Amino acid sequence: MATIGLDKLYYAPITESAATGEESYGTPVLLAKAISAELSVELAEATLYADDGAAYVIKEFKNGKLKLGVDDIGRTQAETLTGAATDENGVLISSSEDGGPPVAIGFRAKKANGAYRYFWFYKVKFGVPSTNLATKGDSITFSTPTIEGTVSRRNKLDGNGNHPWKAEVNSDDDGVAAAIITGWYTEVYEPAFALQG
């Protein structure tokens, strides 16, 4: 179903285990007011030909690009997402050596029927926000920042032995417990599969 809105944009810090590289997530924090979110996905693809035809076609998630348009990126968020630092005078300083740690990103999109589609992207590493500025003319034009990150799979396996990169649920899907939706922003959603033996 078509979506007609976007809001509740959150990020959660990631801590990676030094021994295993597995991610654990901190408490989600409001990032900014969301304006837009664009996701493009790149797949790794291979085709095995046999008997004069395609015998096997494999397509796997390689990475993605998540571009977020927001109303503002505050100083704390800029430090967390991009690795910029605030000096002794309270001025945000960006340097060529900056590189923030990956974070999890969550938001929701309102559907045409009034329900919501919820998302968590498990591991996103952001670059420096782009800014477009313009002088005020005869009419008022808002200029807002855009920040783009690379989405990758996480190291931590789910119960199926896979490396998830995204979680997505509709609030009106059959079989979705109300607690999943009401708790979506209290912590990053962890896949719930029975462990494979």
Side-chain angles (χ1 to χ4, degrees):
M1 179 172 287
T3 59
I4 58 171
L6 175 69
D7 68 355
K8 295 197 180 272
L9 177 59
Y10 280 73
Y11 71 94
I14 295 175
T15 303
E16 290 187 10
S17 164
T20 65
E22 289 188 356
E23 299 85 358
S24 59
Y25 300 97
T27 303
V29 177
L30 187 63
L31 171 56
K33 291 182 178 179
I35 295 173
S36 63
E38 292 178 38
L39 174 67
S40 59
V41 175
E42 188 175 339
L43 300 175
E45 184 175 339
T47 304
L48 174 66
Y49 292 92
D51 287 339
D52 294 333
Y56 298 101
V57 177
I58 305 292
K59 292 186 179 194
E60 292 183 355
F61 174 80
K62 185 175 178 182
N63 64 42
K65 295 288 183 199
L66 182 62
K67 187 175 181 180
L68 300 173
V70 295
D71 70 329
D72 190 25
I73 296 176
R75 185 169 59 190
T76 302
Q77 291 83 351
E79 289 176 334
T80 301
L81 299 181
T82 69
T86 301
D87 73 3
E88 295 174 3
N89 296 315
V91 177
L92 184 67
I93 306 296
S94 297
S95 66
S96 61
E97 294 80 13
D98 289 348
V103 295
I105 294 290
F107 53 83
R108 72 179 186 174
K110 188 173 187 177
K111 296 173 27 172
N113 67 359
Y116 286 90
R117 182 173 298 143
Y118 291 82
F119 297 87
W120 272 113
F121 293 90
Y122 285 116
K123 194 171 188 178
V124 183
K125 184 158 177 78
F126 285 99
V128 176
S130 64
T131 303
N132 296 312
L133 304 173
T135 190
K136 187 170 86 170
D138 290 336
S139 61
I140 297 172
T141 302
F142 289 102
S143 297
T144 57
T146 302
I147 188 164
E148 185 173 310
T150 300
V151 179
S152 57
R153 69 173 199 161
R154 71 179 192 180
N155 297 319
K156 184 178 180 182
L157 295 173
D158 64 20
N160 282 340
N162 295 320
H163 299 273
W165 63 275
K166 176 179 78 164
E168 179 179 342
V169 67
N170 292 300
S171 60
D172 59 346
D173 282 346
D174 291 336
V176 176
I180 298 298
I181 302 304
T182 59
W184 197 254
Y185 296 108
T186 58
E187 61 184 6
V188 175
Y189 179 78
E190 281 294 331
F193 294 108
L195 291 175
Q196 304 293 319

